[in-house]
Amino acid sequence: MVRLPGRSAPRPPRAFGHPRAPHRPPRRARASGGDRSGVLRSAATGRSVAGQVFLLQVVIVLLLVVAAVVAQVLQVRHDTDVEAGNRSLAVAQTFANAPGTREALRSADPTAVLQPRAEAVRKATGVDFVVVMNTEGVRYTHPKPDRIGKRFVGTIAPALAGRTVTEHITGTIGPLVQVVVPVRDPAGKVVGLVSAGITTAHVGGTADRQLPLLLAAAAAALALATAGTALVSRRLLRQTHGLGPYEMTRMYEHHDAVLHAVREGVLIVGGDGRLLLANDEAHRLLDLPADAERRHVLQLGLDDETADLLASGRIATDEVHLVKDRLLAINQRPTDLRGGPAGSVTTLRDSTELRALSGRAEVARERLNMLYDAGVTIGTSLDVARTAEELASLAVPRFADFATVDLFDPVLNGEEPRPGTALRRTACAGVREDSPLYPLGERIRFVPTSPQARALTTGQSVVVERLREAPGWRAQDLERTDQVLDYGIHSLITVPLRAGSLVLGLANFWRAEKPQPFDAEEVSLAEELVARAAVSIDNARRYTREHSMAVTLQRSLLPRSLPEQGALEIAYRYLPAQAGVGGDWFDVLPLSGARVALVVGDVVGHGLHAAATMGRLRTAVHNFSALDLPPDELLGLLDELVGRLDQDETAVAGGAVVTGATCLYAIYDPVSRRCTVARAGHPPPALVHPDGTVEFPDVPAGPPLGLGGLPFETEELELAEGSRLVLYTDGLVEDRERDIDEGLGLLGDALRRTPGASPEETCRAVLDRLPARPSDDVALIVARTRVLGGDRVAQWQVPTDPAAVSHVRSSVTRRLADWGLEELAFTTELILSELVTNAIRYGRGPIAVRLLRDRALICEVSDRSTTSPHLRYAASTDEGGRGLFLVAQLAERWGTRYTPHGKVIWAEQPLP
């Protein structure tokens, strides 16, 4: 570790070697092992140890490289100067001692002789100049002729004294080294001087050319040194996790303090099995010697099993070992899982004192879980018996070996309990099925001395720890109680099911498999479970009561039987919803002229309000149908009625409005085989033709009832004899799992599989595809059409002449004779005479008469007038006004219905 000035070195942890830094140290981001830029960034900050080492090493390498380059440059300069001096000296001496030099100096024109020789030598030797001068320094030769005869620039005094002069000067051609040597005569007298010189640039050119290579080599050396330093720093950074010296010191101090303060023993064992670290708690738990560190774990005096575990280095999770008098929970993990050194880390926890506490905590946790499960699993349905079964199933076997629930009979029917009456065993659960306890469904009347009777009387729980020692319980049924004891049941808790001030029954918990009896804490748990179940049972009881009332109301409002009529063969089904009664309804209404109206409706919602609203709408349809209105007009009146109902309910505080209602109304005429249909937000009818093909007629879909503002439209269908018209509510074709299009497809498939089937068979085939308890109400009507043939229909056109009445009577009498109805001839003549006479007198032509022989004889007189006659009592002095009175007395029913072209007055007579 680098020791920085002014900071003390980190203190090693006591009693052990230096541990590794934590895996994720605080306040520093870990540098990736392969991220060199991370190392450089860390180095640039200089705060971490690795960064400081990196910077220091890079500076040292850089200084070494700079020093090497400077030394090399200086050496090159020195060598250059030496070489320049040597070359100049050699040239000067050689020229001075050359033959003829002395003689030329003594000649009359030394320059003429010496200048060519000097230039030749200069060029041959590569020096920059060779200058020959006299003893006074006047030049005889020079590379530049204009300088001949001028004085030599340099020091010549030593040379005149016979010595050689070497000097460095900066001349006109740059820095240079020049040498001056004397020229001697045979007597040794200096007769002249020779100077040779060369610039250092010419001598050091080679060295200068080598300098870039030298710098490149230095740069490469610096790069390699930096890379190596980065690798070393990266390793150091990974080892120190980017911490600075002060932080590492604090980390080690904190690590030391925490390690010795924790209540768990910590051991670090090396790959060779030697103990590297042991904190104070580990020393205490394992009773290790003071010099345990650096010793092999097999030599620490531990038991063989524990020592083998520590030496093996294998993974261990909460392994319990008995070490002397302690139970230690040991966890062990290898240290080389993430690239660390070989070895293992072991933690020790003393579980001796925690065993008892954990046992009690486990019991408390199990009880809390039971209470949580009670809130989740008890009361999942609004069924009294099912809720009692859920309580018994929850208690076995987690709390008791057997559990029974006994309720008063009125509770099962939704009524309030009547104390003093017998209870019925409603639920029973146990670890075995052959217990001698009272069986399911048994009516039980407890004797006053029994724990159950005391619980019912006092409303408090009763615990019998030992049934064999409880004479009051055995008095209930000596034979059965002996069987219970012989079976092994030995303890009982009986808890009353209380809901407010009502005691609904009893919950009994029996113990057989577990030898210990029930205690006071278990009584509290039993009371809590039963209290939660009692609320759910009481809710189910109230729901059962309301459901029974709603079902009773609904059954009273739905048709109990279908009226007699001959136009349609009808079968129907009604299935209540799983959640309770709803507002689906249907009706079959005979109309005048052998026609029949089919009605299917649906009030959204469930319960009493939906059922009551359905009854009101059904009554309204009955009343409106008596007016013999077309389907669209009838739905319009029904829409206004629903709107008024909503306004009336809204005006009452807390009143529930009709949240939605739909209806389909169809009128079938067996004479014309035409069916007029209108619907208000209801699914369209299905039509099964005699050949088995199925279609859903495109009946205009009006808005649901109560919205108002939009008229309803009708669709007229012509049905062949034997066609089946299928009307239904949306519960048949739509639920949470499928949309209406898929439901219509399934309905069509079911109808196609029943070609030629009767309406009853068609109902069974359609409902077989539904669940036993659908999620919504289902109302279904299947009507197969019949036709009133021409042999049972007679009609005549009547002129607007009173004399034509007699002809009509004659024709009617003949037709009645053909039908074998002579007994009705007289009354029929009277009825037709009055109706035709009124039409001729008060109506507009054309006038028509029609007789229909159905279940009754129907007489109809139609005209183009929309004025309806009224029944009145004529005074004794009145000449007229008694015609309709006679018609009303002679006919079973009579009335008026309007058509698009006028009206029809009809009268029915029963067939003899």
Side-chain angles (χ1 to χ4, degrees), residues 844-903:
R844 295 199 307 266
I847 301 171
V849 174
R850 187 172 72 165
L851 285 183
L852 301 176
R853 181 189 175 189
D854 193 25
R855 293 180 178 271
L857 180 63
I858 304 171
C859 303
E860 296 181 345
V861 177
S862 62
D863 62 70
R864 293 297 182 94
S865 172
T866 57
T867 303
S868 176
H870 297 281
L871 179 65
R872 65 186 181 89
Y873 292 95
S876 58
T877 58
D878 291 341
E879 295 183 0
R882 299 176 179 84
L884 286 181
F885 181 78
L886 289 176
V887 171
Q889 295 298 316
L890 296 175
E892 184 178 45
R893 294 194 308 151
W894 75 280
T896 303
R897 73 173 181 270
Y898 294 93
T899 66
H901 307 292
K903 68 176 183 296

Side-chain angles (χ1 to χ4, degrees), residues 47 61 76 108 113 213 252 384 585 826 845:
R47 296 182 58 186
V61 171
V76 167
V113 177
L213 180 61
Y252 279 106
V384 174
W585 55 282
F826 178 72

Side-chain angles (χ1 to χ4, degrees), residues 679 682-686 694-697 726 728-730 732-734 738-752 769:
R679 62 188 179 115
H682 203 80
V694 178
E695 69 168 314
F696 293 90
V726 181
Y728 51 89
T729 56
D730 58 355
L732 182 69
V733 296
E734 187 177 14
R738 64 172 182 268
D739 57 19
I740 189 170
D741 292 333
E742 183 181 356
L744 291 175
L746 295 175
L747 175 61
D749 294 339
L751 294 175
R752 292 185 190 94
R769 50 179 284 276

